[in-house]
Amino acid sequence: MNTLNELLIKLWVTTGIANFEWGQVLMIGIGLLLLYLAIVKKFEPLLLVPMGFGAILSNIPVAEISGPDGILGILYHTGIETGLFPLLIFMGVGALTDFGALIAMPRTLMLGAAAQFGIFVTLIGALALNMVPGFEFSLADAAAIGIIGGADGPTAIFLASRLSPDLLGAIAVAAYSYMALVPIIQPPIMRWLTTEKERKVRMEQMRHVSKAEKIAFPLTVLLLCVIFLPTAAPLIGMLTFGNLLRECGVVDRLSNTAQHELINIVTIFLGLSVGSKLQADHFLNMETLGILLLGMIAFGIGTAAGVLMGKVMYRLSGGKINPLIGAAGVSAVPMAARVVNKVGLEADHHNFLLMHAMGPNVAGVIGSAVAAGILLAVVGG
Amino acid sequence: MNTLNELLIKLWVTTGIANFEWGQVLMIGIGLLLLYLAIVKKFEPLLLVPMGFGAILSNIPVAEISGPDGILGILYHTGIETGLFPLLIFMGVGALTDFGALIAMPRTLMLGAAAQFGIFVTLIGALALNMVPGFEFSLADAAAIGIIGGADGPTAIFLASRLSPDLLGAIAVAAYSYMALVPIIQPPIMRWLTTEKERKVRMEQMRHVSKAEKIAFPLTVLLLCVIFLPTAAPLIGMLTFGNLLRECGVVDRLSNTAQHELINIVTIFLGLSVGSKLQADHFLNMETLGILLLGMIAFGIGTAAGVLMGKVMYRLSGGKINPLIGAAGVSAVPMAARVVNKVGLEADHHNFLLMHAMGPNVAGVIGSAVAAGILLAVVGG
Amino acid sequence: MNTLNELLIKLWVTTGIANFEWGQVLMIGIGLLLLYLAIVKKFEPLLLVPMGFGAILSNIPVAEISGPDGILGILYHTGIETGLFPLLIFMGVGALTDFGALIAMPRTLMLGAAAQFGIFVTLIGALALNMVPGFEFSLADAAAIGIIGGADGPTAIFLASRLSPDLLGAIAVAAYSYMALVPIIQPPIMRWLTTEKERKVRMEQMRHVSKAEKIAFPLTVLLLCVIFLPTAAPLIGMLTFGNLLRECGVVDRLSNTAQHELINIVTIFLGLSVGSKLQADHFLNMETLGILLLGMIAFGIGTAAGVLMGKVMYRLSGGKINPLIGAAGVSAVPMAARVVNKVGLEADHHNFLLMHAMGPNVAGVIGSAVAAGILLAVVGG
Amino acid sequence: MDELINQGLQLMALGMGTVFLFLGLLIFVITLVSRVIQKYELKAEAPASTSTSSHDDLVDVISAAIQQYRSDHPRRK
Amino acid sequence: MDELINQGLQLMALGMGTVFLFLGLLIFVITLVSRVIQKYELKAEAPASTSTSSHDDLVDVISAAIQQYRSDHPRRK
Amino acid sequence: MDELINQGLQLMALGMGTVFLFLGLLIFVITLVSRVIQKYELKAEAPASTSTSSHDDLVDVISAAIQQYRSDHPRRK
Ligand code: NA
Ligand code: NA
Ligand code: NA
C-alpha cells in the first residue's frame, strides 16, 4: 500500500514546521529567555534552568511530552498534583536551613509576619482585576496568585496546585522570576522608606544558640502549627522534619541525603514539571499578564511592609534594630538577606547585617507557610 | 455572603484545638517519645526519627497527611503496600553487609537458625492471647506478629504488609523498639544461660575468605532459595542482589549508590510511611499492647534459643565455640554482635568476639527471611 | 482442620522443585551466563549485572517477582512502559558527555549518520526473516529490532517499549550483548575495509572549544529537532537537557546528581526491569534467536558503513581523516572509540585516535536517536 | 464584584491577624523554651563529662581493624 | 511478503535520507553558531575583566565567616 | 481455639524444621563451593601473586582506626 511518497507525507506531517502554532513558537522563545536569565544573569538557576527547558519541551508540537503519557506529564501528575515535589523540597530546605539566627532573636518573627502583607494585598488586587474585562479570578485563584507575595517557590507551587492548578505555570514563573529580581526590586524601596541614620544602625552580636535549642525549635514550631493551624501542617511538617534531621545529630546520613541528592533529584523533576505548565494554550492569555503584574506588586508591598515593621521595631528597641532587616522578611532565602547586607554596607562600610537578616529571612518562610495554611483553611474548604 | 465572623468560624473549625481527639494527643505524645528515644537514647535513630515524626504528622487533625491524598498516605501506598520500600532497604543491607565471617564459619548458620525459634513461639503466643477477651488474632495476624522475633525491620515490615497490614504500625514499632533494646534485653539472658568458663572461650582467628567465595555466596544462597523456598525469593533475592553488587567488583558505582543515597532516601520514606500507620484509631487498642508484650517475649526466646544452640556447638566443637555468639543469631545487625563482644569482654578483657559474632548475626538475617518465606508459603496462600 | 501433613503439602507445593518448568531453569542459566559475562568478562557490567540478576529473579517459580504485584513487575510498569527510565538514563548520558570533540569537528556527524545504515538493513532483514516459517514480525517489530543497530541501550529500550514491548527483552539483551562485544566484532571489519596506509593516518590536534559553544550546542541540536523531527524530541530533549545542566555552569549540583546518584538509581531499576522481560515463556522462542542473529548483522553493517563513509571523508579531506574513526559512529560510547584507538595504535604506535573518535562516537548517539524519531514518526503513528 | 473584594478585605484582616497572632505566639514559646533549656543546661554543666564507653569503643575499633587486616591479608609462605 | 520488504526498502531510503539531511543540517548550523560565537568572543576579549561584584562577595563571605565563628564560639569566662 | 493453637504448634514444627533444613543445606553447599573455589585458586596461584597494596592497606586500616578514635575522643583539659 505505502509508497515512498506516502511515507514522505507521513514524515512531513510529523515535522515541527508542519505543525507549529505561533503560540508554541512564542513559548519556546520564553523558555529560551528563562534559560538566558538563569545561565547568563544567574537568576535562580537551580529552578529556572529545568523550568525553562521544560517550557521548551512542553511546546514541541506532535511530541506530546507534557501529555498524559509524556515524561513531563507523568512527572507533573506524580509530583505536583499530589504535592509530593514541593513538600520534599520543603523537607530539603528544612535540612539546609540553620534557624539559629531566628532562635537568638525571636522578635524578628514579627518582620516575617509583616512581610506577608504583600500576599493579602495581591489577593485583593487579583479580585479587583476582575473589573477589567477578560479577567475572572475566583477567590481560590486570587489566593493562589497572592501567595506569590510569599516569595517562596515550593509554598507557591504547593498552594497553587491545591487551589488553582490552571494558573500554576504563571504563578510559578512569577514567583521564581521575582525572587530572582529581589536584588533589583528591593533596594529602592528600602532606601525610600528608611533614613540614612536608620540604615547605619549596627546590630549587637547575637547570642550563642545551643544544640538543644536547635533541636527543640522544629518541634516547637510543629506543635504550635498542630494546635492552631493544622492546614499548614503539610508544609510546616516537612520543613520542621527536614530541620530535625539536620539538628538532631543522630541521623547525619539521612540529613545529608535530604540536603543533597534527594533535593537535587526533586528539583530537577519539579522544574521540568512546572515547565510543563507553560504550554502555549494555557499560558498565553490575559490572566498570565495579570499575574505577572500582580506578582511585582506583591513583592514591592511585602518588602515595604517588612521595612515599615522594621521601623516600628527600631523605635520600640530604642534604635537597636536596623529597619533594613525587615525587607528580608519576604523570605527569598538567602537572596533577600544578602540584599539587606548590601544596602547596609552602602550606608556604612563596616555594617554587616547578613546574620541578623537571616532571622527575618527564615521567619518569612514560616510566615508564608502559615499564610498558605490560612488560605487553605478558609478558601480551600 | 461571608462576613468576617463567618470566616473566623471557618478558620476556627479547622484549628487543632477544635478537632483534637484524645487519642491523637496521646499518639503525638508517643511520637515525641519515639523521637526522644531516638535522639537522646540513640535507639535505632535512622528509623525511629522518621517514624516518630511520621507518627506526629499522621495524628494531626484536619490535615489528613496520612489520608489517601496526603504525602504520608501516598508514600505508604506507593512503597509499603507494594513491598517496594522494605525490599529496596534489603538490597541496601545486602550491599552494606560483608558475609565474610559467615563464609569462613558456615556452621554458625545453625545459630541463625536456632534464634528463629522466637518467631514461632511468639506466633503461638499470639494465638494463645485469643483466649483473653478482646483479642482476635487470625493465623495470618499471629504469623505477622511472630516475625518481630526475627529482629529484622525490613523483613517484619514486608511480611506484615503482606499478611496483616492493619497491625503493621504496631509490629514495626515493636520490632524496631526491641531491636534498639537489644543491649538491655540480651545480656541478662546470655549470662543466665552460660557459665563463666564458656563465656571465656576465645575463638580461633578466622581463615581468609577470597573474593571468588564472596561472589559465589549470594548466588549460592539465591539458588538454594529458588529451589527450595521461592516464597522467600523477594527478600532473599534483593538481599543477595545488593550483596552481589557489592562483591562483584565491576559495578562499584551502583553498589555505592545502593549503600548510601538510595537506602537513605528509602529509609526516610519508609520511616515516614510506617509512622503513618500510628494513627490513633488504628494503634490505640488492646491488640497493640498484646503485640508489644509478645515482641518482648519473642526477643527473649530468640536470644535464649540462640545461646542454647551455642552451648550445643560448644560441646560438639570440643569447647572451641563460645556459646555467647549464639545470641547474635537473632539478627539486629550489628547491635547484637556488639552486645556479644561486650559480654565476652566482661568475662575476659582480651576476648574479642565481634568478628566471630558477625557470622551468626548475618545468618540471622537469612534465617528470618527464610522463616518469612515459610510463613508466606503456608499462611499467606 | 490442618494437620502437619497438610501443612507439609502446602509447603511442598510452593517449592521450586515442585514447580519448575525447564524453560525457567534454562533462563536462570542464561541469567547466570549474563552475570558471568558481566563480572568475569567485564561486558557492560553496569547493565548486565542488574539485568542478569533480574532474569534469574523473574524466572523463579511461584514467587511472581515479575508479576503485576512483584517488585520487578512494578518497576517495569512504572519505568519502562512509561519510557521514564530510558529517558532519565539519556539525561544522565547527556550530563556525562562532553560534546567538545564533535563541536570541534562537526563533519564527523556524517560518520554518525552513515553508521545508522545498520538499523535499516536489519529492519529489512527482520522483514525478510518472515519468509522462514515461525517468524511473523510486523513492521513495528522490525523497526524495534533494527534499532539494535543503533548500538545505544536506552534508545533501543525506549523504542522497543513504544513499538514492540513483547520483544523488549530479546532486543535489550541483543543490544547490550553486542555493545559489549564491540571489541570483538569491530576490529576485523575495520582491518578488512581499510589499507595499512589509511590506518596510519595521524589526525591534527583539535581546536579549543569555548564554553559558550558548549552551551549553545545542546540548544542548537534541540531546536533543529523541534523544527524537523519532533518525534525524536523525548530522546534528544532529555539528552540535551542533561548536557545543558553539565555545560551551563550554574547548576553544578543538579548536574552532579544527574551524573551520579540519579543515573545510578535508574540504572539499577532499568536493569532489573529489563531482566523481568527475560521470562521463559516470553523469551524462549524462535523470534529471540532471530533477533540475536539480526543484532549481530546490524552491528557488522553499522561498523562497515561507518568505515566506508570514513574512507569517503579520507578522500575528500585529502587524507587528513583516518577512516577508522568511522567505526565509532555506531555509538556504543565510549567502547567503540576505544576500539578505534586500539586498532589505530596497532598500525602506528604513536597514533592516538581516541579524542578524534569521540566526535563520531557521540554523533552516533544523536544519529540513532534521530533514526528512532523517524521510525516512531513513520511506523509508530 | 464589590462583594468579592469585600471578602478579600475580610480575608486580609483575618489572615494578617492570624499570621501575627501565630508568629507572636511563636516568639513567646520559643523564648520560653530557650530559657528552660538554658536553665537546664546551666545545671547540667558541672557534672557533665559523659565519656563512659570510650574504652570499649577504642577496643572495638582496634580489634575490628586488626581482624579486618588479618582476614584481608592471610599469611602465605 | 514482498510488499512488506518493499516497504522496508522505502523506509530505508527515507530513513537514511532523513538521518543524513538532519545531521548534515546540524553540521551547517553548528559551524555557523561556532563562528558567530568565536567572532563575538574575540570582540569581547579586550574589555572583558568581569570582576564586578567580587569585592562585595568577598566582604559577604568574610563577614559571614566571622559571625559564624563568633556564634559558634561564644566567649565564656 | 485449641484448634488454632494446635495449628500453631504444627506450624512451629514445620517452620523450625524447614529453617534448620534450609540453613543446614546452606552450610553444606557453602562449604562445598568454598572447597571447589579454593582448589581452583590454588591451581591458579603459581602465576598469580597479586599482593600488591597489602602494606598500604595495613597503614590505611590502622590510620583510620586511630583517626576514628581521636575524633571520637577529643582531648579536653
Ligand atoms: Na515568605
Ligand atoms: Na533474624
Ligand atoms: Na548509534
Side-chain angles (χ1 to χ4, degrees), chain B residues 25-41:
Chain B
V25 177
L26 184 58
M27 287 311 298
I28 288 177
I30 289 177
L32 289 171
L33 175 69
L34 291 175
L35 290 178
Y36 171 82
L37 294 175
I39 296 172
V40 180
K41 298 289 177 190

Side-chain angles (χ1 to χ4, degrees), chain B residues 91 94-99 103 210-219 239-256 258-259, chain C residues 31-53 267-268, chain F residues 41:
Chain B
M91 179 176 88
L96 282 162
T97 303
D98 179 354
F99 283 100
I103 302 170
S210 76
K211 197 172 143 55
E213 288 176 89
K214 286 190 177 176
I215 294 176
F217 178 79
L219 294 172
L239 182 78
T240 53
F241 175 55
N243 192 242
L244 186 67
L245 291 183
R246 171 198 181 88
E247 302 296 354
C248 73
V250 292
V251 292
D252 286 347
R253 57 182 291 167
L254 302 186
S255 171
N256 282 333
Q259 284 176 38
Chain C
L32 289 172
L33 176 69
L34 292 175
L35 290 178
Y36 171 81
L37 294 174
I39 297 172
V40 180
K41 298 289 176 191
K42 310 216 167 14
F43 282 5
E44 297 278 335
L46 290 178
L47 202 99
L48 287 195
V49 169
M51 196 162 126
F53 213 95
T267 299
I268 292 174
Chain F
E41 284 182 336

Side-chain angles (χ1 to χ4, degrees), chain C residues 112 115-116 119 147 149-152 155 328-332 360-361 363-369:
Chain C
Q116 309 314 317
I119 292 178
I147 202 71
D152 186 275
T155 300
V330 295
S331 4
N361 211 187
V365 176
I366 297 173
S368 46

